[in-house]
Amino acid sequence: MVAELLDVEPEAALAHAETAVRRAGRVPAAREALGLVAYRLGDWARALGEFRTVRRLSGSNHLIPLMVDCERALGRHDKALELAQSPEVEGLAIDDKVELAIVVSGIRRDLGQLDAAVAGLSDIVKRINPNRPSAARIYYAYADAQLAAGHVEVARDWFSRAVDADHELTTDAAERLDELDGVDLTDLLEDEAEDVVEDELDEDELDEDDSDEDDSDEDELDEDDSDEDELDEDDSDEDEPSSRDDD
């Protein structure tokens, strides 16, 4: 249920995760689920605590990239970099190493170390297989770092590679590439939606006008009926004979 609801109703996902932890607090999967929901909700301290518990219970280091990101979000850049350079990182899977490299690059940019942000990605970005799911993300991060460092043409090249690798459309690389090329995009669907709203508003105004006219006509008819009733009363008075006393 956490996996089902995380993207659509994170608060509901949180309730399920907390229930799972209450029932099975020493099961790593339950603690990881709660940590991921907290991470998605931006509750960095709670997420970090849960990820540490998962690491202690399972002995797995696969959550180190998220732990480093939580330390970064909490403003503890030194602790984040220290964890990112721990010996356990060498045993991470390639996709986890990609995520860690992206986070560390972001930390370097936070610290104003733009060249270091580029350098931290330059090795892995050239070694990763473009068919891997994480390829689009590392290409995008590398392009973004290059752009921040002022290397526009290099950035454009890597945004283009990100577009080619991003089969699931997980990034906005295509839009970033268009921006660099000076392409001004118009959201046709948004324009159509605005036109529909305007048409509906116009129809509502017309309905209100028609309603006002109908009410006015009904009022006039009621007044006419009232006048007729008064005339009927007058006629009735004239028809009644006057009473006279007979001598």
Side-chain angles (χ1 to χ4, degrees):
M1 289 305 300
V2 173
E4 186 77 18
L5 295 170
L6 186 56
D7 291 330
V8 291
E9 295 184 54
E11 293 293 344
L14 178 62
H16 283 286
E18 289 174 337
T19 299
V21 168
R22 284 197 299 270
R23 295 179 178 178
R26 295 191 62 79
V27 174
R31 304 305 291 263
E32 182 173 346
L34 180 55
L36 289 172
V37 177
Y39 180 85
R40 181 65 62 86
L41 292 173
D43 190 347
W44 313 115
R46 187 178 192 183
L48 182 59
E50 293 300 327
F51 294 154
R52 285 173 175 167
T53 300
V54 173
R55 190 181 181 192
R56 185 176 66 254
L57 291 174
S58 67
S60 174
N61 296 307
H62 71 285
L63 291 173
I64 285 180
L66 295 182
M67 294 170 67
V68 172
D69 201 26
C70 287
E71 294 283 14
R72 174 196 179 190
L74 292 169
R76 302 195 290 246
H77 294 89
D78 291 340
K79 282 190 175 182
L81 291 174
E82 181 180 352
L83 179 58
Q85 295 166 359
S86 60
E88 293 83 358
V89 169
E90 293 301 320
L92 293 177
I94 182 62
D95 290 329
D96 293 330
K97 287 183 177 180
V98 165
E99 293 302 320
L100 181 59
I102 292 172
V103 174
V104 171
S105 178
I107 293 173
R108 296 298 184 187
R109 288 177 61 178
D110 291 345
L111 298 173
Q113 302 169 2
L114 301 183
D115 290 336
V118 171
L121 298 172
S122 59
D123 181 49
I124 193 169
V125 77
K126 295 171 183 176
R127 291 190 295 110
I128 192 168
N129 187 323
N131 294 319
R132 292 197 69 86
S134 57
R137 283 181 51 74
I138 191 70
Y139 290 167
Y140 183 95
Y142 188 60
D144 203 30
Q146 290 281 8
L147 186 60
H151 309 144
V152 178
E153 288 303 318
V154 178
R156 188 194 179 286
D157 177 48
W158 285 96
F159 275 130
S160 179
R161 299 190 192 197
V163 171
D164 293 338
D166 194 5
H167 305 298
E168 301 297 326
L169 301 179
T170 57
T171 73
D172 64 345
E175 288 80 359
R176 298 293 300 276
L177 188 61
D178 287 334
E179 288 177 5
L180 289 178
D181 290 341
V183 177
D184 185 15
L185 297 177
T186 301
D187 192 339
L188 297 178
L189 292 177
E190 183 177 348
D191 291 342
E192 289 178 2
E194 291 178 355
D195 292 340
V196 170
V197 171
E198 290 179 357
D199 291 342
E200 290 177 350
L201 290 174
D202 292 340
E203 289 179 0
D204 291 339
E205 290 178 358
L206 289 173
D207 291 339
E208 290 179 0
D209 292 339
D210 292 340
S211 176
D212 292 340
E213 290 177 1
D214 292 340
D215 292 340
S216 177
D217 292 341
E218 289 178 0
D219 292 339
E220 291 178 358
L221 289 172
D222 291 339
E223 290 178 359
D224 293 340
D225 292 339
S226 177
D227 293 339
E228 290 178 1
D229 291 339
E230 291 178 359
L231 289 173
D232 291 339
E233 290 178 1
D234 293 339
D235 293 340
S236 174
D237 293 338
E238 292 176 359
D239 292 339
E240 290 181 0
S242 60
S243 65
R244 294 181 179 179
D245 293 336
D246 293 332
D247 292 338

